Amino acid sequence: MNQPADTNDLPVRVRRAAWLARAAFLLVFAINVQCAASFVLWPDVYAPSFEVAGVPGAAAVQGLGIAFLMWNATYPAVIASPLRFRAVAVIVLVQQAIDEGIPAQTILTEGLLKGMDVVGEKFKNNEIFVPEVLVAARAMNMGVALLKPLLAAQGVKASGKVCIGTVQGDLHDIGKNLVKMMMEGKGLEVVDLGTDVSPENFVRTAKEQNCQVICCSALLTTTMDVMGEVVKEAEREGIRDKVKIMVGGAPVTDAFAKSIGADAYTPDAASAADVAAQFCA
Ligand code: B1M
C-alpha cells in the first residue's frame, strides 16, 4: 500500500471526497450560525416555540443562542486544522486497499497501526495535542470499522465468554477495542465494559456473566497497578480459580504480569485473542 506523504499525494477521489465533506461541513456551519444569531437577535419571535420544549422566556432563548454561537466558533478551528477530514481519507484509502486485495491484517498493522505510532511520537514531542490525537483516533476507528467484518471472517471458531475493559482511571480504548475485535473474530463472546473500569466491576461482571477470562487493558503507567487490584478482587470474591486474568497495553510487560499474579500478558491484539481462545477451549 502506498503511503501518501502529504495531502497532494492522496488519490484524486480521496481529495474530492474530503472537499465534499468540507463543503457539507461549511454548509452546516452557515446554517448553525444563522440559527444561533437569530435566537440572539430576535428571542421574542422564538420564545413561544421554545416554551413548548420547556425553555422559559426570551432571555433563556437568547442564552441558548449565545451558547450555540460559542459552540459554532469551534468549527473554523476544525476546518483550519492540518488533520481536517483525514477520517474521510482513511476510509477511502482503507477501502482502496481492501479492493486491491491486501489482507485486512496487513492493512491494520502496516497502515493504521503504523500511522498511530507516528501520532504517538508527535504527541510525545508536543508537535500535536489532544484534539489532533482525538481526530486521529476517530479516523483510525473508522478504518478499523471497515476491516472488522474481514478480520472476523478470517477467525477460527472457538467458544467461550470473556469480559474486557480499560482499567480505572484510564480512558484509552483503541487498543482495547482491537483486542475485542480480534477475540470476536475467534468466535468468543465479548462483554465490553468500556473504559475506566473498577476492579469490582470486572469481577462482578465475570461472576454474573460466567466469563472464563477477564481482560484488562492499560495505557498509562499510573493506571497499570489497577490490574493487580483486579487479581486481588477476584481472590477476595472467591473466583480466582475459575477465571483467567489477562493483561496488556503499551506499558505492561510479561514481568509486570507475573509480579501481580495475572495468568497471561500478550503484547498485541492478535496474540491476546489466541491466548483467550486457548483459555476458553
Ligand atoms: Co494518551 N497517552 N493520554 N491519549 N495516548 C499515551 C498512552 C502516551 C504514551 C503518549 C505519550 O506521552 N507518548 C502517554 C502515556 C505515558 C505513560 O503513562 N507512560 C499518554 C498520556 C500521558 C495521556 C494523557 C494523560 C494526556 C493528558 O491529558 N495530559 C491523557 C490520559 C487520559 C486518561 O486516560 N485518563 C491521554 C489522553 C489521550 C486521548 C484521549 C487524547 C487519546 C485516547 C483516545 C482513545 O483511546 N479513544 C490518546 C491517545 C490516542 C494516545 C496515543 C497517541 C495512542 C494510543 C493508541 O491508541 N495506540 C498514545 C501514544 C502511543 O501509544 N504511541 C498515548 C494504538 C493502539 C492500537 O495501541 O493501545 O497500545 P495500544 O494497544 C495495542 C497493544 O498495547 C495491545 O494491543 C493493541 C494492538 O495490537 N493491547 C493489549 C492493548 N490492550 C491490551 C490488552 C490485552 C492484550 C493486548 O490483554 C487483555
Side-chain angles (χ1 to χ4, degrees):
M1 195 171 26
N2 293 329
Q3 306 243 351
D6 69 32
T7 315
N8 290 332
D9 293 338
L10 292 169
V12 175
R13 64 194 185 108
V14 176
R15 275 184 283 155
R16 202 175 290 150
W19 274 109
L20 274 176
R22 200 168 302 162
F25 204 74
L26 274 172
L27 186 67
V28 173
F29 173 63
I31 294 170
N32 281 356
V33 169
Q34 199 214 346
C35 287
S38 306
F39 297 160
V40 175
L41 293 173
W42 305 291
D44 294 329
V45 175
Y46 296 95
S49 331
F50 271 89
E51 249 167 42
V52 180
V55 179
V61 172
Q62 220 160 18
L64 267 181
I66 291 169
F68 200 22
L69 266 181
M70 285 166 73
W71 180 63
N72 276 292
T74 59
Y75 272 54
V78 174
I79 293 172
S81 156
L83 290 164
R84 63 195 181 270
F85 305 110
R86 286 303 169 93
V88 179
V90 168
I91 292 169
V92 177
L93 287 170
V94 167
Q95 189 56 53
Q96 185 179 318
I98 293 170
D99 295 343
E100 284 172 15
I102 298 172
Q105 185 65 47
T106 310
I107 302 172
L108 179 66
T109 50
E110 298 301 314
L112 297 177
L113 291 181
K114 286 229 168 116
M116 196 45 98
D117 281 348
V118 176
V119 171
E121 201 51 37
K122 291 192 172 193
F123 189 40
K124 193 168 76 183
N125 298 332
N126 289 329
E127 289 169 44
I128 59 170
F129 301 96
V130 171
E132 283 98 339
V133 178
L134 282 175
V135 171
R138 192 174 66 104
M140 160 113 190
N141 280 331
M142 287 184 170
V144 167
L146 283 178
L147 297 176
K148 193 174 171 179
L150 301 172
L151 290 165
Q154 288 165 8
V156 182
K157 290 287 165 202
S159 61
K161 194 170 185 180
V162 311
C163 60
I164 190 167
T166 307
V167 297
Q168 198 160 37
D170 201 328
L171 302 176
H172 296 86
D173 66 357
I174 299 174
K176 184 265 298 171
N177 291 344
L178 278 176
V179 175
K180 175 189 173 191
M181 195 174 80
M182 294 289 184
M183 289 183 174
E184 286 175 339
K186 290 261 168 203
L188 297 170
E189 190 180 341
V190 183
V191 181
D192 186 356
L193 297 170
T195 58
D196 194 18
V197 183
S198 67
E200 294 77 17
N201 193 357
F202 274 113
V203 172
R204 190 176 52 246
T205 306
K207 261 174 115 172
E208 287 173 0
Q209 307 228 24
N210 289 320
C211 298
Q212 289 125 294
V213 188
I214 293 176
C215 298
C216 306
S217 178
L219 263 283
L220 299 172
T221 41
T222 48
T223 59
M224 54 197 272
D225 286 338
V226 178
M227 294 170 159
E229 294 305 316
V230 176
V231 177
K232 286 183 192 150
E233 179 67 9
E235 280 162 5
R236 271 194 295 271
E237 288 297 310
I239 62 161
R240 187 64 190 96
D241 55 339
K242 298 184 191 76
V243 73
K244 299 286 185 192
I245 299 178
M246 292 177 58
V247 294
V252 182
T253 60
D254 196 33
F256 174 77
K258 288 194 173 89
S259 77
I260 61 167
D263 295 295
Y265 156 78
T266 51
D268 55 58
S271 54
D274 287 341
V275 172
Q278 281 163 23
F279 280 147
C280 293

